[in-house]
Amino acid sequence: MAQEIIAVFDIGKTNKKILLLDRSLKLVSQEEQQFEECKDEDGFPCDDIEKIENWIITGISRLALGREYDLRAVNFTTYGASLVYLDSNGRRLAPVYNYLKPMTGDVIAGFYERYGGIEEFCRNTASPALGMLNSGLQILRLKKHKPEVFEKVRTILHLPQYLSFVPSKEIRSEFTSIGCHTAMWDFDKRCYHLWLADEGIVLPYPVPNDVTKEISIDGKNIHIGTGIHDSSSSLVPYLKGSPEPFILISTGTWCIFMNPFNQEPLTMDQLEQDALCYLSTKQEQVKSSRFFMGHYHDDYTRQIDSFFQRETGSYKQVHADEHLLKKFMEEPAVFSTEQCVGNHFPPADLSGFSSFEEAYHKLIVDLTLEGMKSLRLVIPVHDMTKRVYVTGGFARNELFMRLLAALLPGKTVYSSGMDNSTALGAAMVIWNKVFTENQPDVDLGLKKIEPFNINSRPE
């Protein structure tokens, strides 16, 4: 008898994956694909959406018609800030423009002033002014720069919902994509912002993430999920599996701090420090902030490697020295993040360190203390969180993890060894539409972190 599975298409900027999960939500199989980018009409790189479409259609057909698996459902999770424009026949009208593409000033000239000014608009939509990363403003760009294309537009979908549309032909929206720094959602009134109607832009009303559409392939019925934004999807297993309120820190090039238990309104001060709010699958705000920690870490580590003539990756062999940590926490920062502009990092003055180990301890101290500023942005005055979960590369960094635990004396810090939380979340939100029994518990792969014994803990 073929094994029953849910297939999740996990679409990242670099890697595109198909992950198969069984009815107990265990990973059965995973395959990965990379597609060469194409260019839009201005020569700017973007995802080759036609290749992705064909890959999805081929992948679903192969799984549905094969004998090894019994494909019960499919869902999609992707990065945000990406839109697809369809005509009256459901055909794409434009490339999937890259959110890193510069936004020209003429697009937003006078826009913010019509809605209370930039500060009030950004607060109201929980969206820092981020150019193309505010996907709603991409619509304005198309309207102003490509009016001949815009006049043919009948449907606008975020990328997760478009990928769902590819097999299902169902036009839907959902809250996690709309609530992700899009400048589309009025967080005060909990509906689409007025500016969309003023511009004559009509979007599908969001539906819950457990909504599916049944399609038939060669007589076999398969549920197609609505799709979900990747950051919100990664929260789903923790929201179900954690016994207490928590903060999730997803680490990598960016460290993303997410608190789904902070319902305080976003303030202008938080916005100015790059904080924002997502919408969860339960349509509740998730206070979030970020810090470019992995990027800073990698560049400054290269500088330390070069100065002390060490091989790349030597930091992984550094053993913790609590005496050094205490000493360096009392000293001014050596590794600046404020003077970094884009990919330009000023050279750090390493002459005061007697060893590679000393310099690396100081780097972790400086970056962790700087990261704490971003973490505090998501901690409310009346804080109910008891746990902090850390995923990604820094979860395996003993210096960082134990120092973080020491700086959070009122909370218990855990590393989470759960892989593929984004795909797992996408499977979990549609699981009950497919199977009749209670959804199984998930293993978060938690390991409690022992904090360093540091007496001086800066507030």
Side-chain angles (χ1 to χ4, degrees):
M1 185 174 180
Q3 187 174 17
E4 293 177 308
I5 59 163
I6 295 175
V8 176
F9 288 81
D10 185 350
I11 310 297
K13 288 293 285 182
T14 302
N15 298 317
K16 281 67 175 166
K17 302 177 184 178
I18 306 176
L19 300 100
L20 309 183
L21 297 99
D22 65 17
R23 66 189 303 146
S24 64
L25 293 169
K26 297 289 192 298
L27 182 67
V28 173
S29 175
Q30 172 179 326
E31 59 183 78
E32 191 170 307
Q33 183 78 41
Q34 292 185 354
F35 298 106
E36 186 175 345
E37 288 184 317
C38 58
K39 293 184 178 180
D40 66 19
E41 65 273 12
D42 299 319
F44 201 88
C46 60
D47 260 328
D48 191 329
I49 189 63
E50 186 172 345
K51 287 184 179 177
I52 294 172
E53 292 168 355
N54 292 334
W55 173 66
I56 288 172
I57 293 168
T58 301
I60 293 175
S61 296
R62 171 169 52 86
L63 291 168
L65 300 177
R67 297 182 177 181
E68 185 176 2
Y69 300 113
D70 178 7
L71 180 63
R72 300 295 305 278
V74 178
N75 208 358
F76 305 86
T77 178
T78 85
Y79 53 86
S82 301
L83 298 175
V84 180
Y85 306 94
L86 305 178
D87 66 12
S88 58
N89 295 312
R91 292 191 294 255
R92 269 188 300 104
L93 290 166
V96 177
Y97 294 110
N98 193 327
Y99 58 65
L100 297 177
K101 186 172 184 171
M103 174 71 76
T104 55
D106 64 306
V107 172
I108 55 176
F111 174 77
Y112 293 116
E113 288 72 20
R114 292 195 291 275
Y115 300 99
I118 188 169
E119 292 187 354
E120 171 57 20
F121 180 86
C122 291
R123 184 208 62 77
N124 184 212
T125 59
S127 303
L130 297 170
M132 291 280 282
L133 277 164
N134 301 133
S135 59
L137 303 187
Q138 294 180 29
I139 307 174
L140 285 183
R141 178 187 171 279
L142 187 74
K143 185 178 182 182
K144 292 192 175 186
H145 288 189
K146 305 284 181 183
E148 72 283 0
V149 175
F150 184 80
E151 68 180 13
K152 299 177 184 177
V153 174
R154 296 296 176 268
T155 303
I156 302 172
L157 299 175
H158 274 95
L159 184 57
Q161 285 67 63
Y162 175 68
L163 298 186
S164 171
F165 171 83
V166 169
S168 72
K169 304 307 176 189
E170 192 79 6
I171 291 173
R172 290 196 179 109
S173 180
E174 55 82 37
F175 292 95
T176 71
S177 293
I178 291 296
C180 166
H181 54 74
T182 63
M184 293 178 175
W185 192 254
D186 186 323
F187 274 73
D188 295 337
K189 297 180 180 178
R190 299 173 68 88
C191 62
Y192 281 123
H193 196 280
L194 174 65
W195 78 264
L196 292 162
D198 289 347
E199 294 286 344
I201 298 167
V202 178
L203 300 175
Y205 193 79
V207 301
N209 285 96
D210 62 356
V211 172
T212 63
K213 169 71 180 296
E214 270 196 286
I215 66 169
S216 179
I217 298 179
D218 197 28
K220 178 177 178 55
N221 291 335
I222 299 167
H223 290 269
I224 305 295
T226 302
I228 183 171
H229 177 244
D230 53 11
S231 294
S232 298
S233 188
S234 70
L235 268 174
V236 171
Y238 296 93
L239 286 168
K240 184 177 189 298
S242 178
E244 295 179 294
F246 63 89
I247 294 170
L248 179 64
I249 305 177
S250 174
T251 70
T253 301
W254 284 97
C255 283
I256 310 296
F257 306 88
M258 292 181 280
N259 186 351
F261 301 93
N262 180 345
Q263 297 305 306
E264 291 182 356
L266 194 64
T267 67
M268 276 311 307
D269 180 61
Q270 291 168 342
L271 271 166
E272 289 169 357
Q273 296 181 71
D274 211 18
L276 50 80
C277 289
Y278 294 115
L279 282 177
S280 72
T281 56
K282 296 181 179 180
Q283 304 160 41
E284 296 173 343
Q285 78 168 28
V286 179
K287 189 72 72 70
S288 179
S289 63
R290 62 181 184 171
F291 177 49
F292 216 8
M293 184 166 173
H295 195 52
Y296 296 137
H297 175 273
D298 291 349
D299 191 274
Y300 279 127
T301 299
R302 282 192 288 269
Q303 291 188 31
I304 297 171
D305 288 340
S306 176
F307 186 86
F308 289 101
Q309 298 183 331
R310 300 290 287 269
E311 293 183 0
T312 300
S314 295
Y315 72 90
K316 296 176 183 178
Q317 278 73 53
V318 173
H319 296 292
D321 185 326
E322 290 191 20
H323 172 74
L324 283 178
L325 289 171
K326 291 178 182 179
K327 173 178 178 290
F328 288 143
M329 287 183 65
E330 301 296 331
E331 297 179 359
V334 172
F335 298 94
S336 171
T337 59
E338 295 181 357
Q339 298 179 37
C340 298
V341 179
N343 289 320
H344 174 69
F345 285 73
D349 181 5
L350 303 176
S351 60
F353 300 111
S354 62
S355 68
F356 176 90
E357 288 73 18
E358 275 196 6
Y360 188 71
H361 273 72
K362 181 57 176 170
L363 173 63
I364 291 298
V365 167
D366 288 355
L367 292 182
T368 305
L369 291 179
E370 194 66 27
M372 286 293 296
K373 296 177 183 178
S374 297
L375 174 56
R376 291 190 190 100
L377 292 174
V378 306
I379 300 177
V381 174
H382 302 292
D383 181 26
M384 60 188 295
T385 59
K386 302 296 184 184
R387 295 178 170 221
V388 175
Y389 300 134
V390 184
T391 69
F394 281 97
R396 297 183 289 275
N397 188 309
E398 181 196 7
L399 273 177
F400 169 73
M401 291 296 292
R402 294 186 64 192
L403 181 56
L404 178 70
L407 294 169
L408 295 169
K411 304 183 188 301
T412 305
V413 175
Y414 297 85
S415 64
S416 174
M418 181 176 60
D419 294 326
N420 302 310
S421 61
T422 302
L424 178 60
M428 291 174 70
V429 295
I430 63 170
W431 193 92
N432 288 328
K433 286 296 181 74
V434 182
F435 303 114
T436 56
E437 66 265 30
N438 291 332
Q439 189 174 115
D441 294 332
V442 294
D443 181 8
L444 301 180
L446 301 181
K447 178 184 176 183
K448 184 177 177 181
I449 302 301
E450 185 68 28
F452 287 127
N453 181 24
I454 297 174
N455 293 324
S456 57
R457 292 171 173 148
E459 295 297 324

